[in-house]
Amino acid sequence: MSHAIKQNEPLVPEMELSMPAKIAGLWPVIIPILMTVALIVARIELGPRGFLYEGALTLLALICYMSAAVIIVTNLFVKEQVLSRLGLITVSLGYCFNLSGWMMRWVEAGDAEGWKAGINGAWRYFPLDNLYPLTLGFCAGAAVTTLLIIRKPKYEFLGAMSMPIVTVVLTLAIFLGNEIRTLPPILDSYWRPIHVSIATVAYGVCLVSFGIAFAYLLKDGVRSEAIAIGAGLFGLLIYGTVGRFGVPFHGEYGIGLLYNKTQLPVRAVLPGMGPLMVVTLLAIAASIVLFAIDWVRTDEKARRVGWRIFRLSALLQAVVLALLFSWIAFPQKMASATNLSNFVAQIPEREKPAFGEYLNKQMNADWPADRHQELAQKWLAQEDPAQFSLSMKSNPVEFGGLIGLFVVLFLVSLFAWRRE
């Protein structure tokens, strides 16, 4: 990494190039934008055929970003020209799908409401109505900034910083759900698409700036152990807050429940998830302690063991994610494999008072606070357990945090192993 930063660029400075040469150098950005325009025109003329849906395009963007992250990180170690070019093309293709999906949502939102004549006409449907399209714009901003930088060979390594993060953020967006909602009248302003779109893309620029700052910390000799301590503290923060504090204090982790497609404010504990997360948490904490010992008194053995445990925590976090997504994708198979009769039986008692309060409000009842747990138990007992299922969208921020933690642990382990 530091070696890549110190390389001299054997190219003519861009400011000295002619205008046609400058435009030609921007092909990784210009071509995706032209392809986006073509896809939008095709969607308007042909309708939602084939993959001309926002959801399909966003999924394709995620696949491209994920592939680009793997290719660019791999190129840090093997330095092949074909990987360098392939990484740039993959990011460019991902940006095309990302931008197309974001703009496709504009067309889909207008079609959903029949393009009602508001005070701002078509601008009413500009895709910034909730957190999901905002995140699409954020990722598009980060991708185009990455493209502007890594198209120059001297800076292509910076994609190894930004693309894994963009992948995590876009994954989080998919968990949020892409439902199109009616725009509140207070937001029907011509300033909304101007202000929010510029701010959203700017956040993407800030993400890449973070990657550049981190790279120069490595260049200036910041110890890998210090970075690992920071990553470990991030891990403690994640595990100290997910699962409504169930992981560190109860050794449990649960996912929100759906009842007849209605999201319920109650969780079902997943068998095996809590103990595995606790082991991962302890591994992260142990590595922090060992790195701190090495920091204070330069203990080579503590440093060596600390890195082994730190890398083990990255592996454990990968297993955590694999098990978690197995529960989300195949809930019935996982329930059968763990001899779980139904998800209602997995609701812990400490969740029921708050759930009873929710039911009390929904039913406009007048149960006193000290009987809310009883109300929850009564309601759950009379409902068919088969009507309950796990919700993929119940804990999107938590899922994003857990995915982000794995990315951080993995990248720090990787960069510490082959720092140069």
Side-chain angles (χ1 to χ4, degrees), residues 62 65-67 69 162-172 403:
L62 177 61
Y65 287 159
M66 192 179 301
S67 302
S162 62
M163 294 317 300
I165 303 176
V166 173
T167 300
V168 171
V169 174
L170 191 57
T171 302
L172 173 60
I403 297 170

Side-chain angles (χ1 to χ4, degrees), residues 237-252:
L237 175 64
I238 292 296
Y239 274 115
T241 55
V242 300
R244 292 182 185 167
F245 306 98
V247 173
F249 298 108
H250 304 283
E252 299 173 347

Side-chain angles (χ1 to χ4, degrees), residues 13-27 30 151:
E14 192 165 16
M15 293 297 293
E16 299 179 10
L17 295 175
S18 63
M19 183 57 66
K22 290 179 180 179
I23 295 175
L26 289 172
W27 70 264
I30 295 175
R151 65 192 174 89

Side-chain angles (χ1 to χ4, degrees), residues 36-90:
T36 296
V37 173
L39 287 171
I40 297 301
V41 172
R43 169 63 175 81
I44 294 174
E45 295 296 327
L46 302 177
R49 299 180 181 180
F51 68 94
L52 295 177
Y53 291 92
E54 176 274 316
L57 291 168
T58 300
L59 185 59
L60 288 171
L62 177 61
I63 294 172
C64 290
Y65 287 159
M66 192 179 301
S67 302
V70 173
I71 292 170
I72 296 173
V73 170
T74 302
N75 194 44
L76 284 177
F77 302 99
V78 297
K79 287 295 178 184
E80 293 288 344
Q81 183 64 31
V82 63
L83 289 180
S84 177
R85 180 64 60 170
L86 184 60
L88 180 62
I89 293 174
T90 310

Side-chain angles (χ1 to χ4, degrees), residues 246-408:
V247 173
F249 298 108
H250 304 283
E252 299 173 347
Y253 182 77
I255 293 184
L257 289 182
L258 281 176
Y259 176 74
N260 285 335
K261 300 182 179 182
T262 300
Q263 180 70 52
L264 299 178
V266 65
R267 300 187 183 211
V269 174
L270 301 181
M273 284 296 305
L276 180 58
M277 286 181 163
V278 169
V279 173
T280 306
L281 175 62
L282 293 176
I284 293 173
S287 67
I288 293 175
V289 172
L290 290 169
F291 288 141
I293 292 173
D294 175 57
W295 188 279
V296 172
R297 64 187 190 194
T298 314
D299 190 325
E300 177 64 23
K301 182 178 180 181
R303 185 186 67 82
R304 185 171 60 253
V305 175
W307 278 116
R308 290 176 180 173
I309 297 178
F310 187 88
R311 294 183 181 111
L312 174 63
S313 68
L315 178 60
L316 289 171
Q317 185 64 17
V319 177
V320 165
L321 292 177
L323 185 58
L324 178 58
F325 286 109
S326 295
W327 274 107
I328 293 174
F330 313 105
Q332 300 304 325
K333 290 184 179 179
M334 292 296 293
S336 177
T338 56
N339 296 320
L340 180 63
S341 58
N342 59 74
F343 294 115
V344 174
Q346 294 299 112
I347 300 175
E349 293 298 319
R350 65 177 183 277
E351 293 258 346
K352 292 180 180 178
F355 183 49
E357 181 180 0
Y358 163 82
L359 292 173
N360 192 50
K361 292 179 180 179
Q362 292 295 312
M363 297 186 298
N364 292 321
D366 56 355
W367 287 60
D370 59 351
R371 297 188 63 195
H372 284 168
Q373 182 167 356
E374 179 186 347
L375 173 61
Q377 292 173 335
K378 181 179 179 180
W379 186 85
L380 292 170
Q382 68 185 13
E383 298 298 331
D384 181 6
Q387 299 297 318
F388 293 85
S389 61
L390 298 179
S391 172
M392 292 181 62
K393 303 172 184 177
S394 60
N395 312 320
V397 177
E398 288 187 3
F399 294 161
L402 292 171
I403 297 170
L405 175 58
F406 167 70
V407 172
V408 169

